[in-house]
Amino acid sequence: MDRVSRFQNALQQQDVPELDSLHLWPELDHMGRPIVVAGNNALVAKLIRRDGRHVAFRLVDNSTVGGDWLLRHTALQQRLTAGIRQRIPAGIRVVRGTSFSGVVHPEDDGRAGSPTAAVAMEWVEGPTLMQTVDRAARAGNSAVLRALSKALTECITGLATESFVHGDITAHNLIVRPDGKLIIIDLDTAAWQGSPLGPGGSGSPGYRHPTATLAGEVRDEFATLVLQTSLMVLAEDPDLRRSFGDPISATDGGLVFSAWDLQGPEASPAFAEAFDRVSGEALVLLRRLVQ
């Protein structure tokens, strides 16, 4: 049984103290199973509150994420600036308990009571940036792609102004709200003014500088440049998405450029095609990206 099935089974138990204490119940799909999304380091269940609002319950695999996860997310519950709060999920709350330890640690027989880190937060409605870009590019909708570029600038610039560093920006951890604004999720590596830890991790390969040695805030700048360049290139030639982009199911996949392209742009067919097909702002961004 895979970890998604184990999590669904655990959510369907009659007595789950962590969820009962928060008055939350699993949202079910058309087959009557709890809705669960699997990520690299976590499983996320879509839960529902008494008032009908949805909550994301994120169960973290401590063996992968590391011991700083609890400290970082506990601090995220505290007072943050309004500029940060409007660009991350609301209502972040760390949940302590042992009911789900067997989901991410199936070797645990339940008697040791090993704690499992989890967090409840707003379920952000909307597709990922990757999903939205893929759909717009396939439809040849350059206006949407340019609007997404502006929304990305607003989101990331707003966070940087508040000294918030995400540390692992990708097209998969940005959600497009119904109003077109972006919100950033997966805060496992985040840091901000007064946070107990600095930025964690090293970023995802398709968004990481080839040297992989950049400080957190510069890492965010480079990942944002990759996204901005990709969006403006696709706005001029949406077919480049079909030719070179990763499928939306690829873990932290690229909109146009892969980790291999970033490592050797001079030998990259994606960069060669992009340089041949675009001009203006897209060309300026391409030149910055390969410097």
Side-chain angles (χ1 to χ4, degrees):
M1 183 183 297
D2 62 23
R3 58 183 186 145
V4 171
S5 296
R6 290 196 301 269
F7 194 24
Q8 289 175 319
N9 289 344
L11 288 165
Q12 286 182 312
Q13 293 177 7
Q14 294 298 313
D15 181 24
V16 182
E18 291 91 340
L19 302 189
D20 288 345
S21 66
L22 297 173
H23 306 293
L24 297 171
W25 296 270
E27 181 86 344
L28 305 180
D29 61 19
H30 67 284
M31 298 182 64
R33 296 284 282 169
I35 297 173
V36 172
V37 179
N40 288 341
N41 302 320
L43 295 163
V44 183
K46 186 177 185 181
L47 307 181
I48 189 167
R49 305 192 325 184
R50 285 178 174 172
D51 61 6
R53 293 186 181 181
H54 290 110
V55 172
F57 184 77
R58 193 163 184 265
L59 181 67
V60 176
D61 183 346
N62 286 326
S63 65
T64 302
V65 175
D68 68 354
W69 184 93
L70 186 61
L71 182 60
R72 200 182 301 274
H73 281 75
T74 299
L76 277 167
Q77 296 178 130
Q78 312 304 319
R79 182 184 296 273
L80 295 173
T81 65
I84 293 174
R85 287 196 175 279
Q86 67 181 294
R87 296 178 175 92
I88 66 172
I92 295 174
R93 179 173 178 180
V94 170
V95 181
R96 294 175 173 85
T98 61
S99 295
F100 295 99
S101 61
V103 173
V104 292
H105 304 295
E107 70 281 359
D108 185 355
D109 62 9
R111 291 175 294 181
S114 354
T116 300
V119 64
M121 64 182 71
E122 170 194 10
W123 178 277
V124 182
E125 296 292 347
T128 64
L129 180 62
M130 168 64 86
Q131 292 168 329
T132 308
V133 169
D134 186 75
R135 183 172 182 178
R138 289 180 183 279
N141 197 329
S142 296
V144 167
L145 293 166
R146 289 192 175 92
L148 289 170
S149 176
K150 291 180 181 178
L152 176 65
T153 297
E154 190 276 335
C155 177
I156 301 304
T157 301
L159 288 171
T161 300
E162 302 291 336
S163 301
F164 185 93
V165 179
H166 184 272
D168 190 22
I169 293 173
T170 74
H172 290 267
N173 55 32
L174 285 155
I175 303 292
V176 184
R177 286 192 183 276
D179 63 2
K181 294 187 183 226
L182 298 185
I183 189 167
I184 198 159
I185 59 172
D186 291 357
L187 306 173
D188 298 337
T189 58
W192 57 97
Q193 190 169 8
S195 64
L197 298 166
S202 59
S204 296
Y207 299 86
R208 188 167 59 208
H209 191 273
T211 64
T213 58
L214 300 181
E217 60 274 12
V218 188
R219 192 191 316 157
D220 277 5
E221 289 175 8
F222 185 79
T224 302
L225 177 60
V226 172
L227 287 173
Q228 289 285 22
T229 303
S230 301
L231 287 167
M232 294 307 295
V233 162
L234 290 174
E236 290 209 27
D237 193 334
D239 284 343
L240 288 169
R241 167 77 189 141
R242 191 190 307 272
S243 300
F244 299 107
D246 288 323
I248 59 175
S249 59
T251 301
D252 293 327
L255 298 176
V256 179
F257 307 110
S258 67
W260 182 87
D261 294 317
L262 296 177
Q263 286 284 345
E266 68 285 348
S268 162
F271 273 112
E273 288 287 334
F275 272 110
D276 281 345
R277 298 189 194 183
V278 305
S279 60
E281 184 180 354
L283 185 58
V284 171
L285 289 169
L286 273 173
R287 288 170 176 161
R288 282 183 56 199
L289 187 56
V290 300
Q291 284 178 350

